[in-house]
Amino acid sequence: MGIGIDQAKMFGTKFKPHFNAVRLLKNPKTEVFTILGNNRERITAKAVVLGLGASPRRLEKPGVAELEGRGVSYGAPQYHTPAQWAGRKVGIIGGGNSAGQAGLFLASCEGCEVNVFVRGEGLEQDMSRYLVERFRKAKIKVHHHSNLVRVEGNDKMEEVIFTKAGVEEKFSLDYLLIQIGSQPPTGWLEEVVSLDDKGYIPSDLDLPADAWPTSEGRAPLRYETSLPGVFVGGDAHALTPNRMSCAVGEGHALGVSVYKYLELRHEREAQLKIVSVA
Ligand SMILES: Cc1cc2nc3c(=O)[nH]c(=O)nc-3n(C[C@H](O)[C@H](O)[C@H](O)COP(=O)(O)OP(=O)(O)OC[C@H]3O[C@@H](n4cnc5c(N)ncnc54)[C@H](O)[C@@H]3O)c2cc1C
């Protein structure tokens, strides 16, 4: 990481630590962007790349926030060693692929009891078929129609309470892992670029039919959002798997589009100058 930063600085990149972007504006005449920070600092640019990442979706139920890090966690269990989970009673909330991978990993840890809580009837709806099949063979207890009500405990989590068909069920668990998807921090861009129903930013071929301005006279470039000159890559990009390699690859590839955009812009500016001189 340090080497990457040194290299970027060598090529003239300026880093702005503690800069939290809260607004993105485009001057319709000059086509120059202004990014406004929450410290009121303004940055101007001819093109913008959004690499905002995504964080786990939070579950707002009593006791969850209070006991986070003391039994409740949003992280993936695979980032810890199997020894940590050996002999533990673990609950996983969620029925998607992250929950599936977490469940299978835990089931492979010696003596770990795995309980998966889902709101619906089955796992098939949100989980890939290969994971569902492996789930059936693994020692995992799936609790259907289960909705979290609250988490109880003082210094650490002790009881987890769900409702099933209107009846409360209490579970004594060592850990509760919440795996209900992720969320990109794109609320501040709602009025600026097209977002999908989960807040992710689509680009070029994935843009909704009417999102791209026809006045632009060209198709969007690869990784270009609905606002010409604004590009997206990494976890915040719609349909991109949340993986380091994807973010790095897209970051590199979208650079080509940014260059192309700047070239087109330069050509347009030059033409306007010729017209005004003539
Ligand atoms: C605990 C954990 C472990 C992981 N392990 C792996 C792994 O083993 N292998 C793998 O491939 N992937 C792993 N991932 C996923 C991987 O980290 C991501 O896919 C990758 O970092 C995405 O890169 P990104 O640049 O899109 O976003 P990020 O790396 O999340 O960077 C986004 C940056 O944008 C900043 N930002 C957001 N909004 C604003 C704003 N308004 N203004 C200014 N700055 C803003 C954020 O603060 C952050 O610094 C892991 C993720 C987590 C959370």
Side-chain angles (χ1 to χ4, degrees):
M1 186 69 152
I3 295 172
I5 290 175
D6 288 347
Q7 221 170 29
K9 281 183 181 165
M10 217 169 71
F11 287 108
T13 308
K14 287 184 193 139
F15 286 85
K16 294 258 174 202
H18 314 298
F19 182 88
N20 192 14
V22 290
R23 269 189 98 184
L24 173 61
L25 307 158
K26 186 180 185 181
N27 183 320
K29 253 188 165 175
T30 60
E31 297 195 346
V32 169
F33 294 96
T34 300
I35 306 161
L36 194 68
N38 64 342
N39 56 357
R40 294 176 180 246
E41 191 179 347
R42 282 167 182 266
I43 296 173
T44 54
K46 290 182 179 171
V48 174
V49 174
L50 301 168
L52 305 170
S55 41
R57 183 168 290 128
R58 306 264 139 185
L59 192 54
E60 312 281 344
K61 292 286 175 185
V64 170
E66 292 81 353
L67 291 162
E68 190 179 336
R70 290 184 285 149
V72 178
S73 160
Y74 289 91
Q78 299 92 309
Y79 302 134
H80 300 279
T81 61
Q84 185 192 329
W85 304 104
R88 307 285 186 179
K89 271 179 131 177
V90 185
I92 299 172
I93 298 182
N97 283 348
S98 307
Q101 281 155 2
L104 287 170
F105 168 78
L106 289 168
S108 72
C109 303
E110 204 181 331
C112 181
E113 184 190 307
V114 190
N115 295 272
V116 173
F117 299 90
V118 291
R119 289 182 300 180
E121 177 61 46
L123 295 169
E124 287 80 1
Q125 208 179 325
D126 296 319
M127 203 182 281
S128 300
R129 238 174 74 191
Y130 82 98
L131 284 173
V132 175
E133 276 159 21
R134 286 194 204 165
F135 245 59
R136 291 203 180 106
K137 290 177 199 151
K139 275 193 190 159
I140 296 173
K141 192 159 184 210
V142 182
H143 305 263
H144 302 282
H145 301 292
S146 295
N147 287 291
L148 181 71
V149 179
R150 63 184 180 279
V151 181
E152 290 177 355
N154 292 311
D155 291 340
K156 64 183 272 295
M157 185 187 82
E158 281 155 23
E159 308 267 20
V160 185
I161 295 98
F162 289 87
T163 48
K164 192 170 182 170
V167 180
E168 282 202 357
E169 285 187 319
K170 239 181 201 192
F171 295 84
S172 297
L173 300 169
D174 297 311
Y175 293 100
L176 181 68
L177 307 179
I178 302 173
Q179 307 269 330
I180 54 170
S182 57
Q183 215 168 10
T186 52
W188 60 287
L189 292 166
E190 261 169 23
E191 309 283 311
V192 187
V193 294
S194 179
L195 303 177
D196 71 11
D197 58 345
K198 290 187 173 148
Y200 287 87
I201 308 167
S203 72
D204 56 283
L205 295 176
D206 299 319
L207 284 171
D210 56 350
W212 178 256
T214 47
S215 56
E216 203 57 22
R218 63 170 175 91
L221 296 164
R222 190 81 184 90
Y223 302 105
E224 196 168 19
T225 69
S226 62
L227 183 61
V230 177
F231 299 81
V232 63
D235 285 7
H237 189 196
L239 305 177
T240 294
N242 292 8
R243 285 286 171 268
M244 194 69 87
S245 51
C246 300
V248 172
E250 288 195 343
H252 184 82
L254 68 76
V256 177
S257 293
V258 174
Y259 266 110
K260 180 80 195 154
Y261 171 78
L262 293 174
E263 255 173 34
L264 290 172
R265 201 190 133 99
H266 187 70
E267 281 167 18
R268 209 157 49 184
E269 278 171 359
Q271 272 169 3
L272 283 174
K273 266 186 203 154
I274 292 168
V275 170
S276 64
V277 168

